Amino acid sequence: EVQLVESGGGLVKPGGSLRLSCAASGFTFSSYSMNWVRQAPGKGLEWVSSISSSSSYIYYADSVKGRFTISRDNAKNSLYLQMNSLRAEDTAVYYCARGRIGSGWYYFDYWGQGTLVTVSS
Amino acid sequence: QSVLTQPPSVSGAPGQRVTISCTGSSSNIGAGYDVHWYQQLPGTAPKLLIYGNSNRPSGVPDRFSGSKSGTSASLAISGLQAEDEADYYCQSYDSSLSGPYVFGTGTKVTVL
């Protein structure tokens, strides 16, 4: 059974930093691209960042580019998101999601339960 | 802001059929990229509902169906049930500079 378990969320002041983790199990982690998707309170889904299976390709949404860094450790079956210079608008539940890629398509087939990040003074 | 537009809400009585539209542009759906759909039940994580425009993952009831035409896509729920009350999001690839993966604005389905 595929499982994705996020951790590391919490309350942080504006300008602060936080590192999210996602522990994966039930599949060959090193064979899949992985993603972070967030959802602000009462709002819709927003894709944040993606990393390919071997970390060769990394993408960010414009809203987090230059402030967030995605990484992975295939030996530990773990995905990370280092978030710096946090702003109030980064407040959201952050989901880890497995990616499936093909010609003309990319979707998220498994999701974690999410971890809440609150940026407030 | 999202580049895929959905109606904020749709509603229907149990047993009825409802449809949710997802309108994009020439940089995403209209460029031939596939559309995928997710269901988010209250207080839970999103779940993949439809992939590749019209394919259902194992375990998803055949009451859910998807289609795509031109710059738009649709999700249909037939035989609406109380447990279908949730938020639904479309998602596709976008070739513009803002980021490759985009979600729709989301639609709340209410079962009357």
Side-chain angles (χ1 to χ4, degrees):
Chain A
E1 179 195 5
V2 172
Q3 282 200 318
L4 299 169
V5 180
E6 302 93 336
S7 61
L11 175 63
V12 61
K13 289 181 168 55
S17 299
L18 212 54
R19 189 194 197 207
L20 306 183
S21 299
C22 171
S25 61
F27 65 102
T28 304
F29 181 74
S30 59
S31 296
Y32 291 85
S33 65
M34 296 296 296
N35 306 266
W36 290 99
V37 177
R38 70 184 180 183
Q39 186 171 36
K43 302 296 184 182
L45 300 173
E46 179 189 15
W47 169 79
V48 172
S49 182
S50 295
I51 185 168
S52 62
S53 57
S54 60
S55 304
S56 299
Y57 301 97
I58 289 176
Y59 306 98
Y60 298 100
D62 284 350
S63 56
V64 306
K65 203 172 293 183
R67 300 187 299 123
F68 290 10
T69 301
I70 191 172
S71 63
R72 63 190 295 161
D73 186 333
N74 287 343
K76 294 183 178 179
N77 291 341
S78 294
L79 175 71
Y80 306 102
L81 186 68
Q82 177 67 42
M83 303 186 296
N84 299 331
S85 303
L86 283 161
R87 307 166 180 167
E89 54 264 37
D90 295 318
T91 294
V93 173
Y94 284 73
Y95 295 103
C96 165
R98 191 176 82 168
R100 298 299 302 272
I101 189 168
S103 178
W105 50 267
Y106 187 98
Y107 61 89
F108 312 98
D109 62 348
Y110 286 95
W111 300 62
Q113 85 290 347
T115 186
L116 176 62
V117 173
T118 303
V119 184
S120 175
S121 55
Chain B
Q1 67 226 53
S2 177
V3 298
L4 301 180
T5 303
Q6 300 177 232
S9 63
V10 299
S11 61
Q16 282 190 329
R17 181 177 187 269
V18 297
T19 61
I20 301 169
S21 61
C22 174
T23 302
S25 67
S26 58
S27 66
N28 42 68
I29 300 174
Y33 298 115
D34 285 359
V35 178
H36 321 287
W37 293 88
Y38 304 86
Q39 177 193 58
Q40 187 175 31
L41 296 170
T44 69
K47 167 193 163 186
L48 179 65
L49 195 65
I50 296 285
Y51 67 95
N53 303 318
S54 59
N55 301 292
R56 288 185 306 277
S58 174
V60 173
D62 59 6
R63 302 185 291 104
F64 295 92
S65 62
S67 63
K68 188 187 100 167
S69 178
T71 58
S72 296
S74 292
L75 173 71
I77 311 173
S78 58
L80 195 63
Q81 298 182 5
E83 59 260 36
D84 298 334
E85 189 160 291
D87 293 323
Y88 294 82
Y89 295 90
C90 60
Q91 176 253 316
S92 186
Y93 179 93
D94 190 277
S95 58
S96 66
L97 297 178
S98 61
Y101 311 124
V102 290
F103 287 94
T105 49
T107 299
K108 168 71 176 179
V109 170
T110 301
V111 182
L112 302 172

